[in-house]
């Protein structure tokens, strides 16, 4: 069993839809949770960074962490074609420690 | 702030040659740099962690004599793929972590470079 599970998709939605991306994990020691966006043939770009459980909002993006269920989510409101990319969840046990990545979910937003 | 660059962005070389990839943190000092490789449609696989001025720590299964890492300064780390072979063809990505990111952004998380695509013929 992988430490971090993420559905690779692809997930295809119409423009304007609300997108929900999720990861589950098995290691309860993870404390720091991140979402990265990666365009084709580019390096990952940090989108959201959260510590422990709770919600965090930044513009059209909301990150949720439920440590009791070992489940994290990223919501994208009013999705745009420019949001089409691979979204990677990542987590670590301590701040600055090495990251464990999910497989990435391919998102396609159709105009 | 928190910009990381890589050079070259892509390289094609013959089998048996060595290739050096540079990773630079442009606006902050990176106490730690990480090197990853990524195969098509797969996630990032951590290869090694390097701290400035000390030897790199390699992940299990990564040959340290084949993938030489040097973290000579707080803004530069290099990965040298020695005697490259076609199976080394991949997308190599570095990330940098350091305190005091310019502009007061998140300190102590990883910021990624744009990646280097290596093709070994």
């Amino acid at each position: 069993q992988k430490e971090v599970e993420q559905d690779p998709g692809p997930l295809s939605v119409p423009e304007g839809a609300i997108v929900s991306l999720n990861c589950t994990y098995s290691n309860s020691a993870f404390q720091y949770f991140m979402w990265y966006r990666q365009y084709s043939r580019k390096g990952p770009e940090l989108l959201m960074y959260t510590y422990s459980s709770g919600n965090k909002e930044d513009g059209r993006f909301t990150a949720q962490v439920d440590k009791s269920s070992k489940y994290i989510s990223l919501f994208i409101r009013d999705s745009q074609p420019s949001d089409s990319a691979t979204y990677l969840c990542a987590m670590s046990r301590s701040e600055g420690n090495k990251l464990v990545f999910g497989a990435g979910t391919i998102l396609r937003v159709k105009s | 702030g928190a910009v990381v660059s890589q050079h070259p962005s892509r390289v094609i070389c013959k089998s048996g040659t060595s290739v050096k990839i540079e990773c630079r943190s442009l606006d902050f000092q990176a106490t730690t740099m990480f090197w990853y490789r990524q195969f098509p449609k797969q996630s990032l696989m951590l290869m090694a962690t390097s701290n400035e001025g000390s030897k790199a720590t390699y992940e299990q299964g990564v040959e340290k004599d084949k993938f030489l890492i040097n973290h000579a300064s707080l803004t530069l780390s290099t990965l040298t793929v020695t005697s490259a072979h076609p199976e080394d063809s991949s997308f190599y990505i570095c990330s940098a972590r350091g305190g005091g990111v310019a502009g007061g952004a998140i300190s102590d998380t990883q910021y990624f470079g744009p990646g280097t695509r290596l093709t070994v013929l």
Side-chain angles (χ1 to χ4, degrees), chain B residues 21-40:
Chain B
I21 302 169
E22 292 187 350
C23 177
R24 292 181 186 273
S25 56
L26 299 185
D27 52 1
F28 66 102
Q29 293 185 326
T31 53
T32 305
M33 287 185 169
F34 302 84
W35 286 95
Y36 297 82
R37 65 186 298 181
Q38 186 178 34
F39 292 105

PDB file of all heavy atoms in Angstrom, chain B residues 21-40:
ATOM      1  N   ILE B  21      23.573  19.085 -14.191  1.00  0.00           N
ATOM      2  CA  ILE B  21      22.373  19.929 -14.095  1.00  0.00           C
ATOM      3  C   ILE B  21      22.540  20.848 -12.891  1.00  0.00           C
ATOM      4  O   ILE B  21      22.887  20.388 -11.802  1.00  0.00           O
ATOM      5  CB  ILE B  21      21.101  19.073 -13.926  1.00  0.00           C
ATOM      6  CG1 ILE B  21      20.950  18.088 -15.094  1.00  0.00           C
ATOM      7  CG2 ILE B  21      19.870  19.966 -13.830  1.00  0.00           C
ATOM      8  CD1 ILE B  21      19.870  17.040 -14.877  1.00  0.00           C
ATOM      9  N   GLU B  22      22.283  22.131 -13.098  1.00  0.00           N
ATOM     10  CA  GLU B  22      22.412  23.111 -12.018  1.00  0.00           C
ATOM     11  C   GLU B  22      21.051  23.526 -11.479  1.00  0.00           C
ATOM     12  O   GLU B  22      20.097  23.681 -12.241  1.00  0.00           O
ATOM     13  CB  GLU B  22      23.141  24.363 -12.516  1.00  0.00           C
ATOM     14  CG  GLU B  22      24.588  24.152 -12.841  1.00  0.00           C
ATOM     15  CD  GLU B  22      25.285  25.458 -13.171  1.00  0.00           C
ATOM     16  OE1 GLU B  22      24.602  26.486 -13.329  1.00  0.00           O
ATOM     17  OE2 GLU B  22      26.532  25.445 -13.263  1.00  0.00           O
ATOM     18  N   CYS B  23      20.999  23.722 -10.190  1.00  0.00           N
ATOM     19  CA  CYS B  23      19.790  24.202  -9.527  1.00  0.00           C
ATOM     20  C   CYS B  23      20.172  25.396  -8.668  1.00  0.00           C
ATOM     21  O   CYS B  23      21.070  25.292  -7.833  1.00  0.00           O
ATOM     22  CB  CYS B  23      19.204  23.084  -8.663  1.00  0.00           C
ATOM     23  SG  CYS B  23      17.746  23.556  -7.693  1.00  0.00           S
ATOM     24  N   ARG B  24      19.504  26.523  -8.892  1.00  0.00           N
ATOM     25  CA  ARG B  24      19.822  27.733  -8.152  1.00  0.00           C
ATOM     26  C   ARG B  24      18.592  28.339  -7.490  1.00  0.00           C
ATOM     27  O   ARG B  24      17.518  28.401  -8.101  1.00  0.00           O
ATOM     28  CB  ARG B  24      20.411  28.800  -9.090  1.00  0.00           C
ATOM     29  CG  ARG B  24      21.769  28.468  -9.653  1.00  0.00           C
ATOM     30  CD  ARG B  24      22.298  29.579 -10.552  1.00  0.00           C
ATOM     31  NE  ARG B  24      23.534  29.194 -11.207  1.00  0.00           N
ATOM     32  CZ  ARG B  24      24.737  29.345 -10.686  1.00  0.00           C
ATOM     33  NH1 ARG B  24      24.854  29.918  -9.487  1.00  0.00           N
ATOM     34  NH2 ARG B  24      25.813  28.963 -11.328  1.00  0.00           N
ATOM     35  N   SER B  25      18.752  28.758  -6.254  1.00  0.00           N
ATOM     36  CA  SER B  25      17.714  29.553  -5.604  1.00  0.00           C
ATOM     37  C   SER B  25      18.076  31.009  -5.840  1.00  0.00           C
ATOM     38  O   SER B  25      19.175  31.445  -5.503  1.00  0.00           O
ATOM     39  CB  SER B  25      17.646  29.233  -4.109  1.00  0.00           C
ATOM     40  OG  SER B  25      18.896  29.428  -3.489  1.00  0.00           O
ATOM     41  N   LEU B  26      17.171  31.752  -6.464  1.00  0.00           N
ATOM     42  CA  LEU B  26      17.518  33.080  -6.959  1.00  0.00           C
ATOM     43  C   LEU B  26      17.337  34.194  -5.935  1.00  0.00           C
ATOM     44  O   LEU B  26      18.037  35.206  -5.988  1.00  0.00           O
ATOM     45  CB  LEU B  26      16.707  33.397  -8.208  1.00  0.00           C
ATOM     46  CG  LEU B  26      16.937  32.452  -9.395  1.00  0.00           C
ATOM     47  CD1 LEU B  26      16.164  32.929 -10.613  1.00  0.00           C
ATOM     48  CD2 LEU B  26      18.416  32.326  -9.717  1.00  0.00           C
ATOM     49  N   ASP B  27      16.402  34.043  -5.023  1.00  0.00           N
ATOM     50  CA  ASP B  27      16.137  35.151  -4.119  1.00  0.00           C
ATOM     51  C   ASP B  27      16.075  34.719  -2.664  1.00  0.00           C
ATOM     52  O   ASP B  27      15.536  35.433  -1.813  1.00  0.00           O
ATOM     53  CB  ASP B  27      14.844  35.867  -4.507  1.00  0.00           C
ATOM     54  CG  ASP B  27      13.685  34.906  -4.654  1.00  0.00           C
ATOM     55  OD1 ASP B  27      13.876  33.690  -4.430  1.00  0.00           O
ATOM     56  OD2 ASP B  27      12.587  35.357  -5.000  1.00  0.00           O
ATOM     57  N   PHE B  28      16.627  33.555  -2.374  1.00  0.00           N
ATOM     58  CA  PHE B  28      16.716  33.128  -0.982  1.00  0.00           C
ATOM     59  C   PHE B  28      17.852  32.122  -0.851  1.00  0.00           C
ATOM     60  O   PHE B  28      18.331  31.556  -1.823  1.00  0.00           O
ATOM     61  CB  PHE B  28      15.392  32.516  -0.489  1.00  0.00           C
ATOM     62  CG  PHE B  28      14.995  31.220  -1.158  1.00  0.00           C
ATOM     63  CD1 PHE B  28      15.174  30.002  -0.519  1.00  0.00           C
ATOM     64  CD2 PHE B  28      14.443  31.219  -2.430  1.00  0.00           C
ATOM     65  CE1 PHE B  28      14.806  28.812  -1.133  1.00  0.00           C
ATOM     66  CE2 PHE B  28      14.068  30.038  -3.051  1.00  0.00           C
ATOM     67  CZ  PHE B  28      14.242  28.827  -2.398  1.00  0.00           C
ATOM     68  N   GLN B  29      18.275  31.942   0.372  1.00  0.00           N
ATOM     69  CA  GLN B  29      19.341  30.985   0.633  1.00  0.00           C
ATOM     70  C   GLN B  29      18.729  29.628   0.972  1.00  0.00           C
ATOM     71  O   GLN B  29      17.906  29.525   1.883  1.00  0.00           O
ATOM     72  CB  GLN B  29      20.223  31.481   1.781  1.00  0.00           C
ATOM     73  CG  GLN B  29      21.002  32.730   1.419  1.00  0.00           C
ATOM     74  CD  GLN B  29      21.972  33.139   2.516  1.00  0.00           C
ATOM     75  OE1 GLN B  29      21.687  32.958   3.686  1.00  0.00           O
ATOM     76  NE2 GLN B  29      23.109  33.696   2.128  1.00  0.00           N
ATOM     77  N   ALA B  30      19.136  28.635   0.233  1.00  0.00           N
ATOM     78  CA  ALA B  30      18.569  27.296   0.384  1.00  0.00           C
ATOM     79  C   ALA B  30      19.475  26.438   1.249  1.00  0.00           C
ATOM     80  O   ALA B  30      20.535  26.009   0.806  1.00  0.00           O
ATOM     81  CB  ALA B  30      18.368  26.644  -0.973  1.00  0.00           C
ATOM     82  N   THR B  31      19.054  26.207   2.470  1.00  0.00           N
ATOM     83  CA  THR B  31      19.860  25.347   3.341  1.00  0.00           C
ATOM     84  C   THR B  31      19.794  23.891   2.884  1.00  0.00           C
ATOM     85  O   THR B  31      20.716  23.124   3.099  1.00  0.00           O
ATOM     86  CB  THR B  31      19.365  25.451   4.790  1.00  0.00           C
ATOM     87  OG1 THR B  31      17.952  25.196   4.809  1.00  0.00           O
ATOM     88  CG2 THR B  31      19.624  26.827   5.357  1.00  0.00           C
ATOM     89  N   THR B  32      18.686  23.542   2.257  1.00  0.00           N
ATOM     90  CA  THR B  32      18.504  22.171   1.785  1.00  0.00           C
ATOM     91  C   THR B  32      17.958  22.193   0.369  1.00  0.00           C
ATOM     92  O   THR B  32      17.083  22.996   0.057  1.00  0.00           O
ATOM     93  CB  THR B  32      17.510  21.397   2.684  1.00  0.00           C
ATOM     94  OG1 THR B  32      17.960  21.463   4.036  1.00  0.00           O
ATOM     95  CG2 THR B  32      17.415  19.936   2.257  1.00  0.00           C
ATOM     96  N   MET B  33      18.495  21.328  -0.448  1.00  0.00           N
ATOM     97  CA  MET B  33      17.961  21.146  -1.801  1.00  0.00           C
ATOM     98  C   MET B  33      17.650  19.673  -2.010  1.00  0.00           C
ATOM     99  O   MET B  33      18.325  18.796  -1.467  1.00  0.00           O
ATOM    100  CB  MET B  33      18.932  21.654  -2.853  1.00  0.00           C
ATOM    101  CG  MET B  33      19.001  23.180  -2.907  1.00  0.00           C
ATOM    102  SD  MET B  33      20.046  23.768  -4.259  1.00  0.00           S
ATOM    103  CE  MET B  33      19.667  25.515  -4.251  1.00  0.00           C
ATOM    104  N   PHE B  34      16.618  19.424  -2.776  1.00  0.00           N
ATOM    105  CA  PHE B  34      16.162  18.067  -3.050  1.00  0.00           C
ATOM    106  C   PHE B  34      16.209  17.830  -4.556  1.00  0.00           C
ATOM    107  O   PHE B  34      15.908  18.722  -5.341  1.00  0.00           O
ATOM    108  CB  PHE B  34      14.723  17.879  -2.568  1.00  0.00           C
ATOM    109  CG  PHE B  34      14.508  18.159  -1.095  1.00  0.00           C
ATOM    110  CD1 PHE B  34      14.301  19.444  -0.652  1.00  0.00           C
ATOM    111  CD2 PHE B  34      14.514  17.116  -0.181  1.00  0.00           C
ATOM    112  CE1 PHE B  34      14.095  19.712   0.705  1.00  0.00           C
ATOM    113  CE2 PHE B  34      14.312  17.371   1.180  1.00  0.00           C
ATOM    114  CZ  PHE B  34      14.103  18.665   1.611  1.00  0.00           C
ATOM    115  N   TRP B  35      16.559  16.618  -4.923  1.00  0.00           N
ATOM    116  CA  TRP B  35      16.550  16.233  -6.334  1.00  0.00           C
ATOM    117  C   TRP B  35      15.546  15.112  -6.557  1.00  0.00           C
ATOM    118  O   TRP B  35      15.540  14.105  -5.827  1.00  0.00           O
ATOM    119  CB  TRP B  35      17.939  15.780  -6.782  1.00  0.00           C
ATOM    120  CG  TRP B  35      18.883  16.924  -6.940  1.00  0.00           C
ATOM    121  CD1 TRP B  35      19.780  17.394  -6.023  1.00  0.00           C
ATOM    122  CD2 TRP B  35      19.017  17.762  -8.085  1.00  0.00           C
ATOM    123  NE1 TRP B  35      20.450  18.472  -6.529  1.00  0.00           N
ATOM    124  CE2 TRP B  35      20.020  18.721  -7.797  1.00  0.00           C
ATOM    125  CE3 TRP B  35      18.398  17.804  -9.341  1.00  0.00           C
ATOM    126  CZ2 TRP B  35      20.406  19.707  -8.707  1.00  0.00           C
ATOM    127  CZ3 TRP B  35      18.784  18.777 -10.258  1.00  0.00           C
ATOM    128  CH2 TRP B  35      19.778  19.717  -9.931  1.00  0.00           C
ATOM    129  N   TYR B  36      14.701  15.303  -7.563  1.00  0.00           N
ATOM    130  CA  TYR B  36      13.669  14.333  -7.911  1.00  0.00           C
ATOM    131  C   TYR B  36      13.829  13.933  -9.376  1.00  0.00           C
ATOM    132  O   TYR B  36      14.381  14.673 -10.181  1.00  0.00           O
ATOM    133  CB  TYR B  36      12.276  14.944  -7.766  1.00  0.00           C
ATOM    134  CG  TYR B  36      11.877  15.386  -6.379  1.00  0.00           C
ATOM    135  CD1 TYR B  36      12.284  16.613  -5.865  1.00  0.00           C
ATOM    136  CD2 TYR B  36      11.067  14.582  -5.589  1.00  0.00           C
ATOM    137  CE1 TYR B  36      11.894  17.026  -4.596  1.00  0.00           C
ATOM    138  CE2 TYR B  36      10.666  14.985  -4.322  1.00  0.00           C
ATOM    139  CZ  TYR B  36      11.075  16.215  -3.837  1.00  0.00           C
ATOM    140  OH  TYR B  36      10.683  16.621  -2.581  1.00  0.00           O
ATOM    141  N   ARG B  37      13.283  12.767  -9.699  1.00  0.00           N
ATOM    142  CA  ARG B  37      13.098  12.433 -11.101  1.00  0.00           C
ATOM    143  C   ARG B  37      11.642  12.047 -11.299  1.00  0.00           C
ATOM    144  O   ARG B  37      10.973  11.573 -10.369  1.00  0.00           O
ATOM    145  CB  ARG B  37      14.056  11.341 -11.569  1.00  0.00           C
ATOM    146  CG  ARG B  37      13.877   9.987 -10.942  1.00  0.00           C
ATOM    147  CD  ARG B  37      14.968   9.025 -11.362  1.00  0.00           C
ATOM    148  NE  ARG B  37      15.012   8.757 -12.787  1.00  0.00           N
ATOM    149  CZ  ARG B  37      15.869   7.931 -13.365  1.00  0.00           C
ATOM    150  NH1 ARG B  37      16.782   7.297 -12.628  1.00  0.00           N
ATOM    151  NH2 ARG B  37      15.852   7.721 -14.656  1.00  0.00           N
ATOM    152  N   GLN B  38      11.178  12.295 -12.495  1.00  0.00           N
ATOM    153  CA  GLN B  38       9.771  12.056 -12.797  1.00  0.00           C
ATOM    154  C   GLN B  38       9.672  11.414 -14.169  1.00  0.00           C
ATOM    155  O   GLN B  38      10.127  11.980 -15.170  1.00  0.00           O
ATOM    156  CB  GLN B  38       8.988  13.367 -12.763  1.00  0.00           C
ATOM    157  CG  GLN B  38       7.491  13.211 -12.926  1.00  0.00           C
ATOM    158  CD  GLN B  38       6.772  14.539 -12.823  1.00  0.00           C
ATOM    159  OE1 GLN B  38       7.289  15.568 -13.228  1.00  0.00           O
ATOM    160  NE2 GLN B  38       5.557  14.520 -12.284  1.00  0.00           N
ATOM    161  N   PHE B  39       9.069  10.237 -14.211  1.00  0.00           N
ATOM    162  CA  PHE B  39       8.813   9.567 -15.477  1.00  0.00           C
ATOM    163  C   PHE B  39       7.454  10.022 -15.996  1.00  0.00           C
ATOM    164  O   PHE B  39       6.616  10.495 -15.227  1.00  0.00           O
ATOM    165  CB  PHE B  39       8.864   8.053 -15.298  1.00  0.00           C
ATOM    166  CG  PHE B  39      10.245   7.555 -14.980  1.00  0.00           C
ATOM    167  CD1 PHE B  39      10.588   7.162 -13.696  1.00  0.00           C
ATOM    168  CD2 PHE B  39      11.212   7.479 -15.971  1.00  0.00           C
ATOM    169  CE1 PHE B  39      11.870   6.711 -13.410  1.00  0.00           C
ATOM    170  CE2 PHE B  39      12.489   7.032 -15.693  1.00  0.00           C
ATOM    171  CZ  PHE B  39      12.817   6.656 -14.408  1.00  0.00           C
ATOM    172  N   PRO B  40       7.233   9.878 -17.325  1.00  0.00           N
ATOM    173  CA  PRO B  40       5.982  10.371 -17.915  1.00  0.00           C
ATOM    174  C   PRO B  40       4.752   9.852 -17.178  1.00  0.00           C
ATOM    175  O   PRO B  40       4.648   8.671 -16.883  1.00  0.00           O
ATOM    176  CB  PRO B  40       6.057   9.833 -19.344  1.00  0.00           C
ATOM    177  CG  PRO B  40       7.511   9.735 -19.632  1.00  0.00           C
ATOM    178  CD  PRO B  40       8.147   9.316 -18.334  1.00  0.00           C
TER     179      PRO B  40
END
